Amino acid sequence: MSNTRPDDSGSRMPLSVRLLRGGEEPDPRFTLANERTFLAWIRTSLALLAAGVAVEAFMADFFGPELRKTISVLLLFLALALGSGSFFRWLAVERSMRHSIPLPLPWIAPILAAGGSLVAAAMVVFVIAHPT
């Protein structure tokens, strides 16, 4: 006996059918776990967005305009990449589960790691160049 149910594309909206591209309905626990992961990426994206706005709005007394703008733009770009990438990640995982194929690699994780490293490097350079 299979743990998957037949595809219920007849009861789905046309956009859902087109996005999910058929396959068999996965176990709801896996779909909900995928959704929780998506929401965690969105939460991280919102935190990066808030940090980018905060750096630009409140750090004028600490950073020069060039550094402040650089760090803010990096954080905002990371927020944008992570927010949009999280949807495509959710969709790719959902499709993989529906077609019983291996899950795709999370390409947004290295982007987040590289972007976070750039922000940290900019801060290290600032701290070394401007001792208190």
Side-chain angles (χ1 to χ4, degrees):
M1 183 156 125
S2 174
N3 287 337
T4 58
R5 296 188 307 263
D7 181 26
D8 66 343
S9 59
S11 65
R12 289 194 178 271
M13 301 291 289
L15 180 61
S16 298
V17 172
R18 202 166 12 153
L19 286 175
L20 296 174
R21 297 184 185 155
E24 293 184 348
E25 188 74 21
D27 185 324
R29 294 173 293 182
F30 300 134
T31 297
L32 293 172
N34 188 27
E35 185 176 328
R36 283 190 300 273
T37 303
F38 166 74
L39 293 172
W41 284 114
I42 291 295
R43 209 171 32 245
T44 304
S45 174
L46 290 172
L48 289 167
L49 177 67
V53 170
V55 165
E56 182 59 30
F58 302 117
M59 294 299 185
D61 294 340
F62 299 101
F63 303 139
E66 299 85 18
L67 180 64
R68 190 176 72 242
K69 195 92 47 205
T70 300
I71 291 174
S72 181
V73 166
L74 279 171
L75 290 168
L76 293 172
F77 176 73
L78 278 174
L80 176 67
L82 199 57
S84 58
S86 63
F87 169 74
F88 294 108
R89 169 75 181 161
W90 170 83
L91 187 59
V93 168
E94 191 67 25
R95 285 177 181 162
S96 294
M97 290 189 302
R98 289 174 167 276
H99 295 281
S100 298
I101 59 175
L103 297 178
L105 290 174
W107 60 268
I108 55 178
I111 290 174
L112 181 60
S117 296
L118 281 173
V119 171
M123 293 303 300
V124 166
V125 168
F126 172 76
V127 169
I128 290 172
H130 294 89
T132 55

